[in-house]
C-alpha cells in the first residue's frame, strides 16, 4: 500500500461551469452567464430542435438545477455517506474487502508478469486482447464474486438508504465511496493490481502515477437508462468491468481521442463480456449502444494522476483553479511532488 489517500485532493472550479450535459439534445455545454450561453449555443440548440421560448427556458432551468446540485455535491455526498453508514446493513459484508480469491486467475497472472523485473510492454500485450486502439480486454473477477456483488448492490437499491447519481449522464447506479467500498476494495485494486498494468500500458498519460480515483456502478435496464451518449471521462485511465446480469446488445463503441473531430472519426464496437474488464485512456471518446433486453451492471473506475491533471484540467483544458473537496475530490493536488512522492510500483 502507498499513502495516496493521505494527500489533500481538490476539484477544479470548472466543475460548476463546464461539461453540463443536456440530455434532451445529447449535448455538453458551458454556462457562465445567460448572455454567454445564448451566444455560444442558441443557434446550435435551434438546429437540434430547441425552437420555442419555452423549450429554451426549460434548458436554462435544467442547467440551473445541475449547477446548484454540483455546488452542493460535497456536502450532500457527506450527508448521504453518514446516513448510509447509520441505516444500511450489508447483505454480503465480505465483498467490501478485496481478496485475491475474487480475482480471475488470468488477471493475477497478468499482474504478476507486470510486477516482474523483466516485464515489458510487448510481453504484456501478448497476455491481453486489444479491442480498439489502446483499449485492452482481460478477465478481472470470478463470476461468483460478480454475482455476489450485484446481489449486494440490488440489496442496497431496495433499502431506504439515500442514493446519489453516479455522474451527470447516468441516472441509475451507485457511488461506491458512499457505500464504503473505497478503502478496503477500490484503493487496493487500483494500487496493487491495476497500476502495474497502467504503468506499462499508459506511461504517457499518468499510468505510473495514478494516485486517486472515482468508482461507481452503472445500471442499464429496459425501463431505465438504455444507452450512454458519446463522451470522454474525467480520468487519465478508466477500467470498465461487466458484472452481469443477463442482457442482449449494449456494446461499447470507441472513436478517437477527444481532440479529434467526430467527422474525422471511425468508431470500433466492443462487446461486453461478464467478468471481463476494458481498460482505456480516459480521454478516449466512447459511448454505449442501447441494450435490447435484460439488465446490465458495470463497475467503472476512473483513475486519476495528479501529476498530469495538475498541469491541465482534462475537463476545461486549462490549468486548474483549485477548490477544496472531500475525499479524493477530482484528483487535483497543490504540490504533486510532495503529495505523490513516487511514481513507481508498490
Amino acid at each position: 500500500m502507498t499513502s495516496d489517500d493521505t494527500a489533500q485532493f481538490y476539484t477544479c472550479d470548472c466543475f460548476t461551469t463546464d461539461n453540463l450535459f443536456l440530455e434532451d439534445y445529447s449535448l455538453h455545454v458551458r454556462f457562465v452567464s445567460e448572455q454567454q450561453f445564448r451566444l455560444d449555443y442558441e443557434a446550435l440548440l435551434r438546429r437540434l430542435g430547441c425552437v420555442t421560448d419555452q423549450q429554451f427556458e426549460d434548458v436554462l432551468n435544467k442547467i440551473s438545477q445541475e449547477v446548484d446540485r454540483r455546488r452542493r455535491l460535497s456536502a450532500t455526498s457527506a450527508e448521504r455517506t453518514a446516513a448510509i453508514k447509520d441505516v444500511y446493513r450489508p447483505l454480503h459484508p465480505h465483498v467490501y474487502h478485496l481478496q485475491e480469491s475474487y480475482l480471475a486467475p488470468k488477471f493475477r497472472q497478468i499482474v504478476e508478469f507486470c510486477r516482474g523485473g523483466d516485464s515489458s510492454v510487448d510481453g504484456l500485450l501478448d497476455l491481453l486482447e486489444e479491442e480498439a486502439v489502446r483499449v485492452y480486454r482481460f478477465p478481472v473477477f470470478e463470476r461468483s464474486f460478480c454475482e455476489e456483488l450485484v446481489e449486494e448492490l440490488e440489496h442496497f437499491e431496495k433499502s431506504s438508504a439515500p442514493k446519489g447519481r453516479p455522474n451527470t449522464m447516468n441516472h441509475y447506479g451507485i457511488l461506491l465511496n458512499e457505500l464504503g467500498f473505497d478503502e478496503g476494495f477500490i484503493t487496493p485494486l487500483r494500487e496493487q493490481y491495476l497500476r502495474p498494468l497502467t504503468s506499462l500500458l499508459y506511461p504517457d498519460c499518468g499510468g505510473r502515477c495514478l494516485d486517486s480515483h472515482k468508482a461507481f456502478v452503472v445500471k442499464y435496464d429496459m425501463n431505465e437508462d438504455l444507452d450512454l451518449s458519446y463522451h470522454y471521462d474525467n480520468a487519465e485511465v478508466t477500467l470498465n468491468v461487466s458484472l452481469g446480469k443477463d442482457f442482449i446488445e449494449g456494446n461499447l463503441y470507441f472513436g478517437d481521442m477527444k481532440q479529434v473531430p467526430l467527422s474525422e472519426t471511425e468508431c470500433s464496437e466492443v462487446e461486453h463480456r461478464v467478468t471481463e474488464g476494458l481498460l482505456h485512456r480516459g480521454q478516449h471518446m466512447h459511448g454505449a449502444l442501447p441494450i435490447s433486453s435484460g439488465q446490465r451492471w458495470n463497475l467503472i473506475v476512473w483513475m486519476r494522476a495528479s501529476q498530469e491533471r495538475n498541469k491541465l484540467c482534462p475537463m476545461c483544458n486549462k490549468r486548474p483553479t483549485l477548490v477544496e473537496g472531500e475525499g479524493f475530490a477530482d484528483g487535483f493536488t497543490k504540490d504533486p511532488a510532495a503529495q505523490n512522492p513516487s511514481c513507481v510500483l508498490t
Side-chain angles (χ1 to χ4, degrees):
M1 295 285 286
T2 71
S3 57
D4 289 349
D5 58 354
T6 64
Q8 172 68 51
F9 290 94
Y10 297 81
T11 62
C12 176
D13 72 352
C14 75
F15 182 62
T16 56
T17 57
D18 290 35
N19 293 286
L20 303 162
F21 184 62
L22 300 178
E23 185 175 10
D24 294 340
Y25 305 98
S26 295
L27 184 66
H28 285 90
V29 299
R30 182 171 188 265
F31 187 92
V32 177
S33 68
E34 183 174 338
Q35 180 182 18
Q36 163 268 323
F37 183 76
R38 285 184 180 275
L39 284 171
D40 290 348
Y41 300 106
E42 191 165 17
L44 174 58
L45 283 168
R46 286 189 181 279
R47 291 198 298 273
L48 294 173
C50 180
V51 294
T52 68
D53 289 343
Q54 185 57 54
Q55 286 174 316
F56 196 83
E57 194 63 33
D58 289 343
V59 166
L60 292 177
N61 286 335
K62 287 179 179 178
I63 288 174
S64 176
Q65 291 170 13
E66 175 60 14
V67 169
D68 185 57
R69 184 190 74 84
R70 292 187 182 197
R71 285 176 176 157
R72 294 183 290 108
L73 189 61
S74 287
T76 55
S77 178
E79 290 168 5
R80 280 195 303 267
T81 301
I84 291 167
K85 189 174 183 180
D86 187 46
V87 305
Y88 179 64
R89 297 296 173 261
L91 177 67
H92 297 307
H94 59 275
V95 301
Y96 290 76
H97 300 277
L98 183 64
Q99 300 177 35
E100 280 222 333
S101 60
Y102 301 163
L103 305 177
K106 178 67 178 293
F107 181 41
R108 285 183 272 168
Q109 176 195 349
I110 291 168
V111 174
E112 282 306 310
F113 172 82
C114 295
R115 289 172 176 166
D118 57 350
S119 61
S120 67
V121 176
D122 289 341
L124 175 56
L125 294 180
D126 288 339
L127 301 173
L128 308 174
E129 297 177 52
E130 187 172 12
E131 298 284 355
V133 176
R134 301 184 76 186
V135 178
Y136 303 104
R137 178 196 298 281
F138 50 92
V140 178
F141 298 121
E142 294 278 35
R143 185 173 290 268
S144 58
F145 170 75
C146 291
E147 291 169 353
E148 285 195 318
L149 180 56
V150 171
E151 286 176 2
E152 177 64 33
L153 298 170
E154 290 179 322
H155 182 65
F156 174 69
E157 267 201 330
K158 293 172 184 173
S159 76
S160 62
K163 298 153 188 85
R165 286 171 58 180
N167 55 64
T168 304
M169 299 177 71
N170 291 100
H171 298 90
Y172 299 93
I174 294 166
L175 290 158
L176 293 180
N177 67 307
E178 294 184 359
L179 193 49
F181 275 90
D182 258 5
E183 183 177 354
F185 193 102
I186 302 297
T187 294
L189 179 66
R190 166 174 56 83
E191 292 181 354
Q192 298 175 25
Y193 295 96
L194 294 172
R195 200 157 61 188
L197 277 75
T198 61
S199 294
L200 287 173
L201 295 172
Y202 306 113
D204 53 322
C205 54
R208 292 193 179 100
C209 306
L210 300 173
D211 53 355
S212 71
H213 62 260
K214 176 179 178 179
F216 51 95
V217 172
V218 293
K219 183 177 73 163
Y220 297 88
D221 187 279
M222 296 306 295
N223 300 312
E224 299 174 347
D225 285 339
L226 291 175
D227 56 11
L228 188 63
S229 296
Y230 198 53
H231 68 286
Y232 60 91
D233 299 336
N234 186 2
E236 276 63 65
V237 182
T238 294
L239 176 70
N240 183 333
V241 184
S242 178
L243 301 174
K245 302 166 64 174
D246 294 319
F247 57 89
I248 297 176
E249 298 182 336
N251 289 346
L252 287 178
Y253 58 96
F254 287 87
D256 212 316
M257 299 302 280
K258 70 175 185 179
Q259 299 86 352
V260 180
L262 184 57
S263 59
E264 300 174 16
T265 295
E266 289 188 18
C267 288
S268 302
E269 193 169 328
V270 179
E271 179 187 6
H272 279 293
R273 299 177 196 160
V274 176
T275 75
E276 296 186 359
L278 294 164
L279 195 68
H280 63 86
R281 294 164 292 172
Q283 305 298 289
H284 196 158
M285 297 292 294
H286 60 285
L289 297 168
I291 61 170
S292 59
S293 71
Q295 187 179 93
R296 177 162 68 82
W297 290 80
N298 284 68
L299 166 65
I300 313 293
V301 185
W302 286 352
M303 293 177 279
R304 293 155 169 173
S306 60
Q307 178 173 300
E308 294 296 318
R309 56 183 42 227
N310 288 347
K311 302 176 216 168
L312 190 74
C313 171
M315 305 309 287
C316 65
N317 295 312
K318 299 174 183 174
R319 188 172 183 84
T321 301
L322 300 182
V323 178
E324 286 191 11
E326 294 290 327
F328 287 128
D330 274 353
F332 301 96
T333 60
K334 282 190 174 177
D335 182 354
Q339 301 283 14
N340 189 19
S342 65
C343 286
V344 296
L345 302 185
T346 56

